[in-house]
Amino acid sequence: MKQYLSLCQRIISEGTWIENKRTGKKCLTVVDADLTYDLASNEFPLITTRKSFWKAAIAEFLGYLRGYDNAADFRALGAKTWDANANDNEAWLNNPVRKGEDDMGRVYGVQGRSWLKPDGKHLDQLRKIVDNLSKGLDDRSEILSFYNPGEFELGCLRPCMHTHTFSLLGDTLYLTSYQRSCDVPLGLNFNQIQVFAFLALMAQITGHKAGKAYHKIVNAHIYEDQIKLMRDVQLVRKPFPPPSLHINPDIKTLEDIETWVTLDDFSVEGYQHHDPIVYPFSV
């Protein structure tokens, strides 16, 4: 929580105004932000200075792990986060490859589970990582990447948090996640939750202890219509102690995640928070 608030204050105090072409808005922007989450202490990085809806963040990431490419599938899991980008993004609506309502194209989990190779076959990046880690192997390239420049035009949105690298030291698993761009008031807590939960899940299904997750952001920004709420409301609130995340211990394989896991298999304990803050969302 302190890391999150410190970054927000840094952006407001030191940020540079940058015009964003996609949204038509200005952002206060800083470059290079690093956050660290210690899973051994189970201090779940859930924002307490406003109510944060952690279930949607985990549901969205489950959809990535399953390789979903349709906003309806995400809604069925409990995440409405792709509705706007799939159905309200003008550039995507005019893209001839779009298959119709709710289609997202080849984004995020599609790349992670079905990367198209030059020979026409598909590569399941996640399966390789799980297989290696389950055997206690780390070839120093246990990397899951959603970032495929050759297929940007085939999806509704370029990935923001684009690459996840796992490192196995003894019986402890670590994760380093890279993010090119971050809407800090809205997106960052979603991303924090996902990084934390991803390492916890992967450690559990591969039979290892979860160590630390390192979250690296290149471009961290606050949109012009979010500044007042962040500066005058959220940053003046006193944070509460962090809650803890609990995952159903019966989740033991990647196949479990692919087939029967739902939000009912996750719970958060000890979450105290201030009132919600409704930040504007930029499509």
Side-chain angles (χ1 to χ4, degrees):
M1 188 66 224
K2 291 180 180 179
Q3 296 177 89
Y4 175 89
L5 295 175
S6 177
L7 175 57
C8 293
Q9 186 59 62
R10 176 188 162 201
I11 294 171
I12 288 176
S13 301
E14 305 173 14
T16 299
W17 283 109
I18 300 295
E19 187 79 30
N20 183 259
K21 183 178 179 181
R22 179 176 64 86
T23 62
K25 298 178 183 180
K26 292 190 301 180
C27 306
L28 269 181
T29 305
V30 299
V31 172
D32 187 25
D34 288 285
L35 301 98
T36 302
Y37 319 124
D38 186 358
L39 277 80
S41 61
N42 199 5
E43 292 187 352
F44 191 38
L46 192 56
I47 296 304
T48 62
T49 48
R50 65 171 174 83
K51 186 177 182 180
S52 184
F53 299 94
W54 62 270
K55 289 185 177 181
I58 291 180
E60 181 184 68
F61 211 80
L62 286 175
Y64 295 164
L65 298 183
R66 292 178 176 179
Y68 285 167
D69 65 356
N70 192 283
D73 291 326
F74 282 88
R75 287 198 299 274
L77 277 174
K80 298 180 179 180
T81 48
W82 281 94
D83 289 0
N85 281 308
N87 299 308
D88 299 334
N89 182 330
E90 185 175 351
W92 178 239
L93 293 177
N94 294 325
N95 192 318
V97 304
R98 184 175 182 264
K99 299 174 184 177
E101 185 177 1
D102 286 327
D103 179 45
M104 297 158 46
R106 291 187 56 77
V107 297
Y108 282 87
V110 176
Q111 302 293 348
R113 301 306 308 270
S114 186
W115 183 287
L116 184 61
K117 299 168 64 175
D119 62 5
K121 296 180 181 179
H122 290 83
L123 172 67
D124 187 341
Q125 299 179 65
L126 183 59
R127 179 80 264 178
K128 175 262 184 185
I129 296 169
V130 170
D131 287 347
N132 274 6
L133 295 178
S134 297
K135 298 172 185 174
L137 301 176
D138 176 4
D139 64 6
R140 287 183 276 185
S141 60
E142 307 302 345
I143 301 170
L144 177 70
S145 180
F146 301 145
Y147 203 81
N148 186 348
E151 295 193 345
F152 281 166
E153 73 280 5
L154 302 182
C156 65
L157 183 71
R158 289 176 295 164
C160 294
M161 191 163 64
H162 57 83
T163 302
H164 304 273
T165 301
F166 288 94
S167 302
L168 186 60
L169 301 181
D171 64 350
T172 303
L173 188 64
Y174 297 83
L175 172 62
T176 305
S177 295
Y178 305 89
Q179 188 164 356
R180 66 170 180 86
S181 173
C182 185
D183 176 341
V184 171
L186 280 177
L188 180 52
N189 197 216
F190 243 64
N191 300 134
Q192 290 177 294
I193 292 165
Q194 291 173 339
V195 171
F196 189 98
F198 192 22
L199 177 54
L201 273 174
M202 288 289 282
Q204 183 165 309
I205 68 173
T206 60
H208 299 290
K209 293 189 296 186
K212 291 183 178 180
Y214 304 100
H215 187 176
K216 299 182 178 297
I217 304 168
V218 176
N219 183 301
H221 51 266
I222 301 175
Y223 282 98
E224 56 186 325
D225 52 7
Q226 300 170 332
I227 292 290
K228 183 174 176 58
L229 284 170
M230 175 59 72
R231 183 190 61 225
D232 299 343
V233 181
Q234 188 161 2
L235 279 175
V236 299
R237 292 175 172 177
K238 183 177 180 181
F240 293 105
S244 56
L245 175 69
H246 300 280
I247 300 175
N248 183 350
D250 291 334
I251 302 173
K252 297 178 180 178
T253 67
L254 180 55
E255 288 74 20
D256 290 341
I257 294 172
E258 293 170 332
T259 54
W260 58 263
V261 173
T262 70
L263 287 179
D264 291 338
D265 295 296
F266 301 86
S267 63
V268 169
E269 192 174 286
Y271 184 35
Q272 295 176 274
H273 56 80
H274 291 269
D275 291 338
I277 299 174
V278 182
Y279 282 107
F281 173 66
S282 298
V283 178

